[in-house]
Amino acid sequence: QVQLVESGGGLVQAGGSLRLSCATSGRTFRSNAMGWFRQAPGKEREFVAVISWSSSSTYYADSVKGRFTISRDNAKNTVYLQMNSLKPGDTAIYYCAAGTSLLPRLRAEYNYWGQGTQVTVSA
């Protein structure tokens, strides 16, 4: 059974940091790009960041560029999202997903999803 399990979410004050992890099991995603999305209440799920299978390329949404860093450890089958300088607008459920193309940014380009982890940033 393929599983992507996010962890590391929580409540943090504005300006603080969190590190999300996404552990995969059931199959290897070492050849897949891996991405992070988020969904705030009443809003569509939006792209946050993606990393290529080799870690050679990354891409970020403008709203998080310079504050968030995506990385991966293929030996541990884990993807990370380091989030610094958090803002109340970053409050959302964060999802990791496995992509089907080189550096996907659209939801339709991802075929495996985790259940999400809640991030809440207080003012």
Side-chain angles (χ1 to χ4, degrees):
Q1 183 180 0
V2 176
Q3 282 192 311
L4 285 74
V5 180
E6 302 93 338
S7 62
L11 173 64
V12 64
Q13 289 187 331
S17 299
L18 284 174
R19 188 196 196 199
L20 305 184
S21 298
C22 173
T24 66
S25 62
R27 58 155 284 181
T28 178
F29 290 100
R30 297 177 184 180
S31 60
N32 292 76
M34 297 294 294
W36 286 94
F37 285 72
R38 67 186 182 185
Q39 187 167 15
K43 295 188 176 181
E44 294 287 318
R45 192 172 299 188
E46 64 175 4
F47 168 80
V48 174
V50 61
I51 186 167
S52 62
W53 69 271
S54 65
S55 300
S56 62
S57 298
T58 57
Y59 189 85
Y60 298 91
D62 288 343
S63 59
V64 306
K65 199 174 296 183
R67 300 188 297 123
F68 291 11
T69 302
I70 188 171
S71 61
R72 67 190 296 166
D73 185 337
N74 285 342
K76 296 182 178 179
N77 295 317
T78 302
V79 182
Y80 305 97
L81 185 68
Q82 178 67 44
M83 306 186 296
N84 298 328
S85 302
L86 283 161
K87 306 174 182 179
D90 295 318
T91 295
I93 299 174
Y94 283 71
Y95 300 89
C96 73
T100 59
S101 57
L102 181 61
L103 211 60
R105 278 160 272 178
L106 302 177
R107 287 181 60 181
E109 296 179 280
Y110 290 82
N111 56 356
Y112 290 101
W113 293 83
Q115 293 299 306
T117 184
Q118 176 71 48
V119 171
T120 303
V121 184
S122 63

